[in-house]
Amino acid sequence: MAKHKIILDKNIASVFTRRDVDKYLYDLLPERDAVVREMETCAHQHGYFIIGPAVARLLALLAQVSGARRIFEMGSAIGYSTVWLARAAGPQAEIFYTDGNPENARRAEAYFRRAGVSRRIHVLTGDALALLKKTPGKFDLIFNDVDKHQYPAALRAALPKLRRGGLLITDNTLWSGKVTRRAKDADTRGVKEFNRLVHASKQLFTVLLPLRDGVTICRKV
Ligand SMILES: C[S@@+](CC[C@H](N)C(=O)[O-])C[C@H]1O[C@@H](n2cnc3c(N)ncnc32)[C@H](O)[C@@H]1O
């Protein structure tokens, strides 16, 4: 059977990695199952922004090596990153999906059922920052992928809800390279301020990986 190839559209491709190297990197990735492949196709066809399989594998690896069991996701869309986190964390895990758009949540729920992970996922709709604040308890891993102008506020919401030793993982932290320019738009300013704050914080040990659009991994010390 021919291997399913991901389409390197402008969402998945990196502006920092040479096109041929990017293609090589994605071609190396093992085949995904039918549900995950369908989610990738759906994202491509309908213009949903998803992290794609390379960043998803990093998330899954971090969930596994950290042994994360309580996971909160801020900005989940059709649930692509949620499925990867839920599968990596295992049947005993509890994953909180959040999105402001109920239509996205309905689509995600159908995928969760087909992916066999519904029972470990709580689907919450509304503002992810407010939902995080009002969900009781602390988390082992928080994945932040909300609107970029909200990144500093998302950091303020996440820090008190992260257990010591827990991971805050944030996508799009190079924002197509716009972070290097003097920024007027709120999204770029939000990402730049977030990057400055997480690197200055004495509460966090931070690494920014230039994978795809930039992924920042912070461990609460
Ligand atoms: C980039 S997409 C998430 C993609 C998802 N993490 C994945 O990789 O599969 C961002 C999503 O966050 C949602 N969103 C943005 N800001 C939000 C907020 N403050 N509260 C809840 N949802 C939010 C948007 O509706 C959108 O569906």
Side-chain angles (χ1 to χ4, degrees), residues 49-51 73 75-77 79-81 98-101 104 126-129 143 145-148 150:
F49 295 115
I50 60 167
I51 54 175
E73 188 176 48
S76 309
Y80 180 80
S81 47
T98 65
D99 205 275
N101 182 340
N104 287 350
D127 176 51
L129 284 65
F143 177 50
D145 199 7
V146 290
D147 289 346
K148 311 311 152 190
Q150 297 183 310

Side-chain angles (χ1 to χ4, degrees), residues 93-114:
E94 197 181 16
I95 325 287
F96 291 77
Y97 161 108
T98 65
D99 205 275
N101 182 340
E103 186 52 44
N104 287 350
R106 271 193 289 280
R107 211 178 262 254
E109 279 177 307
Y111 284 127
F112 298 157
R113 278 192 292 278
R114 290 174 52 206

Side-chain angles (χ1 to χ4, degrees), residues 5 29-30 58 63 85 94 116 118 132 149 155 162 171 199 211 214:
K5 289 217 166 120
L29 299 183
L58 174 65
L85 282 168
E94 197 181 16
S118 291
L132 175 57
H149 66 274
L155 173 64
L162 197 60
D171 194 35
H199 284 86
L211 178 64

